Amino acid sequence: MIAFRRTSVAVLLACCVLAQGCSAGGKPQPAGGGTKDPTPHGHVEGAQEATEQQSRLVMADAGRGTVRVLDLITEAVTPVRRAGQVQGITTDGRFAYLTTGTTTEIIDGGAWMVDHGDHVHYYRAPIRPVGEISGPGPVRVHADPGVTALTFGDGTVRLLDRKALEAGRPGSGRPLAEATAAPVVPYREHLVVPGVGADRDRVEIHNRNGDRVSSLGATCPEPLGTALTRRGVVVGCADGALLVGGSKGAFQAQKIPYGTAVARAERAVEFRHRPGSTTLTARAGPAAAWVLDVTERTWKRITTGPVVAVNTAGEGTPLLTLGTDGHLSAFDPTTGERTARTPLLSPMPDGRTPAPVIEVDTQRAYVNDPVGRKVHEIDFNDRLRKARTFSLDFTPTHMVETGR
């Protein structure tokens, strides 16, 4: 079933090889003995390249500190060393970052992708703990091939060398000189640094060493969440969002306003989306959700009823919401109409914290069930059909998906 739904990716990569788009070079290699095989384009030392997405779920038990990784291809569950009392978890696509309040444990999920624009490489490697970084939670993380930026709960930032992190030697990182009000995002060999200055409403561009390069003209009052998309970096603001784009060291910012006054409690605080997608979601207070179309520069508020989690796979797919009644729902993001609804978890009338999450890739959604000690795989293109259920021997309080 998994191989069938990802056949298109395998076909794409096969076509790439046939077209020599993924070869080491355009010139033919001479035949004969003594010729050394060229290193394949996209090669990663110590990793195995695959023809399909190698999704894995990194999960943690908040109380016991148990950490497990579920391989969605093989269905194998790998134990990782016990962490402290885990208060939160986030990912940069490969590594999972588990905060225990005063430190962040880093786990290599052993699955990731490299997007070259016209083709994609998928990799798998051993699952392993790689170290810890001191700093108060919650931690929010963004990364690119050169640097990983960890923004801690007090606004301090640590910059980790990506190559050292991948080698299992994260070190303590370099500190950013100034604390920020929103997460720092590595982008186009620079850093987008929101929430600085006396009024905390400036967005600055820094170089990889953390030095200020420029300040964007547009302001972002009360900056909140950040997200990286194919169109640029999105920063949530009190009056909407700021889209930061750039090339060759020149950066511009464009405001995407809500279009109307939005109460503080209903602003988009944390964006949820499929990595790379230009459609973002966020809770809009206790009973609605925001859908931000970055391409069209538009916001849409959809009345959902009381929800604890939202997400979407992107353009052409539904908005997914998990209600406090335990039902998973799908909404048409254009009309706001509910198109499907199914019971999934036990009710959460008290707004359970931490709440379950909805993780998405191009074909499936995954919802952790702490009470039932399960993870549900959902086909959101087939009226929320439950494709698989994984029973676990621990409580999956926290969950992120790697390999996307």
Side-chain angles (χ1 to χ4, degrees):
M1 173 178 61
I2 300 297
F4 175 79
R5 68 185 177 89
R6 292 177 176 143
T7 300
S8 58
V9 175
V11 172
L12 174 62
L13 290 173
C15 292
C16 178
V17 172
L18 291 175
Q20 295 186 346
C22 297
S23 65
K27 295 181 180 181
Q29 299 297 320
T35 301
K36 184 179 180 180
D37 291 337
T39 301
H41 167 65
H43 174 74
V44 176
E45 191 69 34
Q48 176 185 358
E49 186 164 5
T51 58
E52 61 182 357
Q53 183 171 298
Q54 302 295 296
S55 294
R56 290 172 175 172
L57 299 177
V58 182
M59 300 166 288
D61 184 326
R64 300 174 59 188
T66 301
V67 182
R68 299 279 190 271
V69 180
L70 168 62
D71 189 315
L72 293 169
I73 303 295
T74 67
E75 301 190 5
V77 178
T78 301
V80 185
R81 75 179 184 191
R82 191 181 302 275
Q85 290 192 336
V86 181
Q87 298 179 4
I89 186 172
T90 188
T91 184
D92 58 17
R94 173 177 176 175
F95 296 90
Y97 303 82
L98 297 82
T99 179
T100 60
T102 58
T103 61
T104 294
E105 296 269 356
I106 307 176
I107 304 297
D108 186 348
W112 68 97
M113 61 172 280
V114 178
D115 188 351
H116 288 292
D118 60 342
H119 66 281
V120 177
H121 294 273
Y122 297 106
Y123 297 99
R124 60 187 295 123
I127 299 162
R128 57 177 180 161
V130 296
E132 64 179 37
I133 304 291
S134 296
V139 66
R140 292 151 299 173
V141 180
H142 291 286
D144 69 4
V147 67
T148 297
L150 283 73
T151 306
F152 294 97
D154 60 359
T156 58
V157 179
R158 288 274 170 175
L159 304 174
L160 305 182
D161 179 85
R162 188 70 179 183
K163 295 301 181 184
L165 178 58
E166 291 171 353
R169 302 186 300 271
S172 59
R174 302 189 315 274
L176 201 65
E178 188 173 1
T180 68
V184 169
V185 184
Y187 178 63
R188 296 194 180 277
E189 300 183 358
H190 289 75
L191 303 171
V192 177
V193 183
V196 294
D199 296 327
R200 309 290 278 177
D201 62 355
R202 287 207 321 265
V203 178
E204 295 182 347
I205 304 299
H206 291 212
N207 61 24
R208 288 291 179 79
N209 294 323
D211 301 321
R212 179 180 175 274
V213 173
S214 64
S215 181
L216 300 174
T219 60
C220 179
E222 301 179 33
L224 302 166
T226 52
L228 178 61
T229 76
R230 289 182 181 273
R231 300 284 180 175
V233 176
V234 176
V235 183
C237 314
D239 53 358
L242 195 67
L243 175 62
V244 179
S247 63
K248 298 181 180 179
F251 295 86
Q252 309 83 33
Q254 179 180 352
K255 183 61 67 70
I256 307 177
Y258 282 124
T260 185
V262 175
R264 179 184 292 271
E266 296 182 353
R267 296 174 188 168
V269 175
E270 179 186 7
F271 294 111
R272 299 282 296 171
H273 67 120
R274 178 177 57 81
S277 169
T278 57
T279 304
L280 310 183
T281 66
R283 293 176 61 196
W290 290 109
V291 176
L292 172 58
D293 187 326
V294 178
T295 301
E296 298 297 327
R297 314 289 201 269
T298 58
W299 290 90
K300 185 173 181 62
R301 185 180 185 276
I302 296 177
T303 301
T304 59
V307 295
V308 297
V310 299
N311 214 330
T312 183
E315 183 179 0
T317 66
L319 164 69
L320 303 175
T321 70
L322 181 64
T324 56
D325 59 1
H327 284 68
L328 185 69
S329 295
F331 291 84
D332 185 312
T334 302
T335 65
E337 176 186 359
R338 192 199 311 261
T339 58
R341 183 171 182 264
T342 186
L344 197 63
L345 308 185
S346 59
M348 298 165 280
D350 55 352
R352 186 178 305 150
T353 302
V357 297
I358 305 170
E359 292 288 303
V360 293
D361 55 36
T362 56
Q363 299 292 329
R364 295 289 190 264
Y366 299 91
V367 181
N368 57 318
D369 182 355
V371 174
R373 289 190 162 191
K374 299 174 182 177
V375 171
H376 303 284
E377 180 184 71
I378 305 297
D379 185 348
F380 52 76
N381 289 314
D382 189 15
R383 299 191 59 80
L384 305 181
R385 177 179 60 86
K386 189 183 297 184
R388 292 185 292 180
T389 295
F390 303 95
S391 296
L392 307 168
D393 63 356
F394 71 104
T395 301
T397 318
H398 304 281
M399 182 182 78
V400 291
E401 183 178 355
T402 65
R404 298 174 298 180

